[in-house]
Amino acid sequence: MRFAISLLSLIAIASIIGTVLKQNEPMPNYVNQFGPFWFEVFNKLSLYAVYTSWWFLLIMAFLVTSTTLCLIRNTPKMLKDMRSWRENVREQSLNNFANKAEWNSVHSRATLTERLSYQLRQRGYQIKAVDKTDATLITAKRGAANKLGYIFAHGAIVIILVGGLLDSDLSIRAQQWFMGKVPFEGNGLISQIDNKHRLSLNNPSFRGNTMIPEGQTSTAAVIPQASGVFIQDLPFSIHLKKFIIDFYSTGMPKLFASEVDVRDNETGKTFSATIKVNEPLVYKGLAVYQSSFEDGGSKLKLAAYPMSGNQFKVFDVNGEVGNSTPLHEPESTNTDAAKTAQYTIEWSGFRPFNVENMSANGQDLRAVDSKKSFNEKIVTSLDQHSGSAAKGINTKDLKNVGASVQYKLRDKTGQAREFNNYMQSVKIDEDWVFLAGMRDSPSEPFRYLRIPADDNDSVQEWMRLRAALANPELRVKAAAEYAKNAFSKEESNDKLRSQLQASAEKSLTIFAGNSKIAGFAAVSEFLSKIPAADQERAADVFMKILNGSLWDLWQIARVQDGLPALEITEKHAHFLQLASNALSDAFFYNAPVYLQLKSYEEIKASVLQVTRSPGKNIVYLGCLLLVLGIFSMFYIRERRVWVWIKDQPDSKGSGAAAHALLAMSTQRKTMDFEKEFLQLKNELTEAAQQP
């Protein structure tokens, strides 16, 4: 029993690991998630395929063998004991029972035997009267089915384990060991994959997925393995006519369904069906479940805004989810455009809707705790403005914020960063901003650059300001304009104006930064060189000059592009404040372009899980037996009763009286048993002494 419990505990721990840790994922995913060291440790322990690991199968085999031997050894004994009346007891043995009673009766032995037998039958006991030398033994039993509980429970464990093994990857492992099947590790069309990577229609058990875009057909399922995939051919083809998704009022999905046409490959028979979650299609011994949904190759049109250099020239980019597109600016010879040609866009995902929790979070750079140093304020600001889009979110603020596109930018060395950009502006902290997400690896959450929306709900003005900040000539003009506007005609002072112009130009140059540092981080580094006692005052002066210079830089850029200068209003001043925060954070965005989704043609794809589970009904039978077994063990109590009746001469010597000795036993003594014994004793005593 201790051995079996130990094995069951190990299986439970392994099952928890297999549930928490996704199984049979591509190995790079695990490397990204755990790092090289722990990846190797977990790989040695076969934790990426727990249910088919040698040690898990060995534990299962030991448990099946141990429990089977236990059943073989004990079942005959239990069945024999159930049928046994245990009639070979002696009067002396009954006197040694803890629960016993005895009394004299005025009735003869035969009459008392009949009365007590009747009383025991009334209480649900099976009885048998056995004649002994000068005595009669009544042996009774009740709850003998308790023994079946042990048999059912142990048998259920064996049956469930056998059913689980039948539904496991053992058949696939056997084909690898004995039939030369190997996982497919490359890329290519399923129809062109070699037979050594394909499993036959007679594969006894499998669980695979097939992704079908709308209007397309699938004839095979993909079974993921640690080192690749197997292709499982199906005896029928599935054509997806339409994928249906319905939503709750909050915007959360509540229904996935696939309208399909199924064609039998052998007979040519075709029929229509609707596959829903928890309502699978069952055909030819295979069950087809609605698993999830993906993008089926949606066609995207985007606008590309340069994020480096001093060019403000937007160009179009087209993409298709699942494919890649070279990134380059058409018919351009400038240096920055040439740099973009070194990148490839890999379109990894598209979502036509995003239900997000949006709440107030973050705060302005200059509204931080006054007790913090300027460096601490800068660090706090960077964390607030380039953190997760969901930071500080209230779960009550569910909103559909529109479409988003996810892609990777891969450079010529093979290094890639992942981006996630929203199509529409989103209201955060009472401000409308465009969210541009970035992360270095799939194991990290996205960090979001918040680009403020201008008067036309676009990123145009921010992009214009970004390009102007990177232009040294425009920075000089903006500094001159700022210095000119800082003094009235009466206060005209060429020396002071010249000094202020130099300060303004320097502040813009510091904020524009270089390849190593830019934005408020560069400002912080510059101010850190000033004596600590003067840092606070210097920071206030620096920020005033920087804000004024950025305003003039923005207006000069607009005039240069043929647009009128804007009036200084509270709205425009607030936009400039948000823009300066975003300009500072843009240094960490580290991408040659910002891609904004303009339009799309959505193509849905349904992900169906196809399974053959010969052990499913066996497991159901095992579960039923387990329930019956546990019920029998806990709610059916076996009780045995013996009544030894012998002649006992009465005080007058008539010989008509009889003496009765009652004994009762059970496997588990409880308070209920003690109460039952007292009731039985009283009833039998009363029946024996009634005239």
Side-chain angles (χ1 to χ4, degrees):
M1 180 63 72
R2 288 192 296 269
F3 181 65
I5 291 176
S6 299
L7 293 179
L8 282 172
S9 300
L10 291 175
I11 289 176
I13 293 171
S15 299
I16 292 172
I17 295 173
T19 302
V20 174
L21 181 62
K22 286 185 176 182
Q23 301 291 287
N24 297 315
E25 290 280 301
M27 287 302 175
N29 291 6
Y30 297 121
V31 176
N32 292 333
Q33 185 175 358
F34 302 115
F37 176 78
W38 288 110
F39 166 78
E40 288 295 338
V41 173
F42 294 159
N43 191 36
K44 293 292 184 183
L45 296 174
S46 302
L47 297 186
Y48 307 134
V50 169
Y51 303 116
T52 55
S53 63
W54 65 269
W55 55 266
F56 185 80
L57 296 177
L58 185 63
I59 293 174
M60 295 273 282
F62 267 122
L63 186 57
V64 169
T65 303
S66 172
T67 310
T68 302
L69 291 175
C70 180
L71 280 172
I72 293 173
R73 184 179 65 180
N74 293 320
T75 298
K77 298 177 184 178
M78 291 183 176
L79 294 176
K80 182 179 179 181
D81 188 63
M82 286 175 58
R83 295 191 296 267
S84 171
W85 290 96
R86 299 184 187 178
E87 57 194 65
N88 296 321
V89 297
R90 295 178 296 174
E91 182 180 7
Q92 183 179 354
S93 301
L94 297 179
N95 276 311
N96 294 327
F97 276 63
N99 298 92
K100 67 175 183 176
E102 52 185 321
W103 62 86
N104 294 324
S105 174
V106 297
H107 300 289
S108 64
R109 177 160 39 114
T111 302
L112 184 57
T113 299
E114 183 179 348
R115 284 192 170 209
L116 297 184
S117 298
Y118 174 79
Q119 199 67 32
L120 288 168
R121 287 193 188 97
Q122 288 296 106
R123 291 186 65 85
Y125 284 87
Q126 295 177 289
I127 70 163
K128 180 181 180 182
V130 181
D131 289 330
K132 300 288 185 177
T133 304
D134 297 328
T136 301
L137 175 65
I138 302 175
T139 177
K141 59 184 178 179
R142 183 180 178 185
N146 174 269
K147 294 284 193 303
L148 292 177
Y150 292 93
I151 298 173
F152 286 167
H154 287 73
I157 293 175
V158 175
I159 291 172
I160 290 173
L161 292 177
V162 170
L165 288 172
L166 289 176
D167 281 353
S168 70
D169 286 348
L170 274 181
S171 61
I172 297 177
R173 288 294 184 93
Q175 293 179 68
Q176 288 181 263
W177 295 333
F178 306 114
M179 300 176 62
K181 299 292 184 180
V182 293
F184 179 69
E185 300 181 14
N187 296 313
L189 296 175
I190 289 179
S191 59
Q192 298 175 357
I193 294 178
D194 193 77
N195 283 334
K196 66 180 180 180
H197 308 301
R198 310 181 79 94
L199 304 178
S200 72
L201 298 176
N202 298 321
N203 187 16
S205 69
F206 63 86
R207 185 182 302 271
N209 294 322
T210 179
M211 187 183 79
I212 314 173
E214 286 181 327
Q216 297 190 28
T217 302
S218 174
T219 59
V222 176
I223 302 175
Q225 299 290 300
S227 58
V229 297
F230 280 112
I231 306 302
Q232 173 63 59
D233 292 319
L234 303 177
F236 50 80
S237 62
I238 305 173
H239 176 79
L240 180 63
K241 295 188 294 184
K242 184 179 181 181
F243 178 75
I244 303 170
I245 182 170
D246 197 8
F247 303 91
Y248 292 104
S249 58
T250 60
M252 299 297 290
K254 69 175 181 180
L255 171 67
F256 305 145
S258 299
E259 293 183 356
V260 299
D261 286 334
V262 180
R263 183 182 183 277
D264 191 307
N265 295 339
E266 184 178 355
T267 64
K269 172 186 173 184
T270 302
F271 62 92
S272 298
T274 300
I275 305 171
K276 301 179 181 178
V277 177
N278 297 326
E279 296 182 20
L281 165 68
V282 180
Y283 184 63
K284 283 203 162 185
L286 275 68
V288 184
Y289 296 89
Q290 180 66 60
S291 175
S292 61
F293 65 94
E294 296 287 348
D295 190 280
S298 295
K299 302 183 185 305
L300 312 173
K301 292 185 177 181
L302 306 96
Y305 293 87
M307 289 291 284
S308 61
N310 55 21
Q311 295 295 317
F312 177 51
K313 185 176 181 181
V314 185
F315 58 96
D316 294 331
V317 173
N318 296 328
E320 183 177 321
V321 176
N323 294 326
S324 60
T325 303
L327 176 63
H328 59 84
E329 183 178 343
E331 300 179 1
S332 178
T333 58
N334 71 69
T335 304
D336 295 309
K339 290 181 180 178
T340 65
Q342 301 175 2
Y343 289 85
T344 300
I345 310 172
E346 299 174 359
W347 307 101
S348 54
F350 164 73
R351 298 182 66 177
F353 59 89
N354 288 271
V355 179
E356 302 284 2
N357 291 319
M358 309 308 296
S359 63
N361 61 348
Q363 53 185 181
D364 179 60
L365 174 67
R366 285 155 297 283
V368 295
D369 186 354
S370 60
K371 295 181 180 179
K372 292 183 179 180
S373 69
F374 189 81
N375 288 348
E376 289 174 322
K377 294 178 182 181
I378 296 293
V379 172
T380 302
S381 173
L382 294 177
D383 178 63
Q384 291 163 348
H385 290 282
S386 62
S388 168
K391 188 176 180 180
I393 273 169
N394 188 330
T395 55
K396 296 181 180 179
D397 298 327
L398 286 173
K399 294 181 181 179
N400 182 1
V401 296
S404 67
V405 59
Q406 191 167 324
Y407 59 91
K408 291 180 180 179
L409 275 181
R410 191 174 300 278
D411 61 23
K412 62 180 181 180
T413 66
Q415 299 298 314
R417 304 182 93 197
E418 195 168 13
F419 299 86
N420 184 47
N421 296 344
Y422 287 81
M423 180 179 183
Q424 301 173 0
S425 58
V426 178
K427 190 176 184 181
I428 300 179
D429 298 348
E430 301 302 321
D431 300 315
W432 291 95
V433 296
F434 289 90
L435 295 177
M438 176 276 298
R439 64 183 178 187
D440 294 315
S441 70
S443 61
E444 298 177 357
F446 280 106
R447 292 174 293 150
Y448 284 85
L449 172 66
R450 300 174 182 181
I451 302 175
D454 56 27
D455 293 345
N456 297 320
D457 194 29
S458 73
V459 298
Q460 293 272 351
E461 292 301 323
W462 185 84
M463 290 295 176
R464 179 178 286 109
L465 180 58
R466 184 215 62 77
L469 183 64
N471 191 325
E473 295 180 4
L474 292 186
R475 292 202 300 265
V476 172
K477 291 181 180 180
E481 186 69 18
Y482 174 73
K484 175 184 175 182
N485 296 331
F487 297 95
S488 64
K489 292 182 179 180
E490 293 76 13
E491 299 173 331
S492 178
N493 187 316
D494 293 339
K495 183 178 180 181
L496 290 177
R497 182 182 295 111
S498 177
Q499 292 176 346
L500 184 58
Q501 179 178 342
S503 298
E505 184 178 344
K506 186 174 183 179
S507 67
L508 288 174
T509 301
I510 292 173
F511 190 73
N514 51 48
S515 60
K516 295 182 179 180
I517 191 170
F520 292 124
V523 174
S524 176
E525 183 181 82
F526 170 75
L527 293 174
S528 65
K529 300 175 183 178
I530 299 175
D534 300 327
Q535 280 187 9
E536 196 72 31
R537 185 172 59 86
D540 291 338
V541 173
F542 189 99
M543 294 305 300
K544 288 180 180 178
I545 294 175
L546 177 62
N547 287 334
S549 302
L550 284 175
W551 173 266
D552 289 318
L553 179 66
W554 181 19
Q555 305 315 309
I556 290 173
R558 284 181 58 86
V559 172
Q560 179 178 274
D561 293 340
L563 298 174
L566 297 173
E567 295 182 2
I568 300 179
T569 63
E570 182 178 352
K571 180 180 179 181
H572 291 150
H574 186 61
F575 173 85
L576 185 63
Q577 184 183 49
L578 297 176
S580 62
N581 291 333
L583 287 170
S584 176
D585 296 338
F587 178 77
F588 302 97
Y589 191 63
N590 197 19
V593 294
Y594 162 73
L595 300 179
Q596 185 178 31
L597 185 63
K598 290 300 184 182
S599 64
Y600 58 86
E601 179 187 347
E602 184 188 8
I603 299 176
K604 301 187 186 75
S606 178
V607 179
L608 304 175
Q609 186 179 85
V610 186
T611 66
R612 176 177 283 152
S613 305
K616 180 178 66 175
N617 293 330
I618 297 176
V619 172
Y620 288 161
L621 174 61
C623 292
L624 175 62
L625 289 178
L626 186 61
V627 171
L628 293 176
I630 293 175
F631 179 86
S632 300
M633 287 191 293
F634 282 93
Y635 295 100
I636 299 178
R637 292 182 294 110
E638 182 183 21
R639 284 91 81 202
R640 295 277 184 166
V641 175
W642 295 269
V643 184
W644 188 281
I645 305 174
K646 65 180 181 179
D647 295 325
Q648 179 69 32
D650 60 12
S651 59
K652 297 181 180 180
S654 63
H659 177 80
L661 173 61
L662 168 69
M664 186 176 183
S665 72
T666 186
Q667 288 181 319
R668 297 193 309 272
K669 283 193 174 184
T670 62
M671 295 180 63
D672 289 340
F673 172 72
E674 297 292 340
K675 186 184 297 184
E676 183 180 0
F677 172 72
L678 290 176
Q679 291 176 349
L680 180 62
K681 182 183 74 171
N682 293 335
E683 290 178 6
L684 295 184
T685 302
E686 184 180 354
Q689 294 177 349
Q690 284 181 348

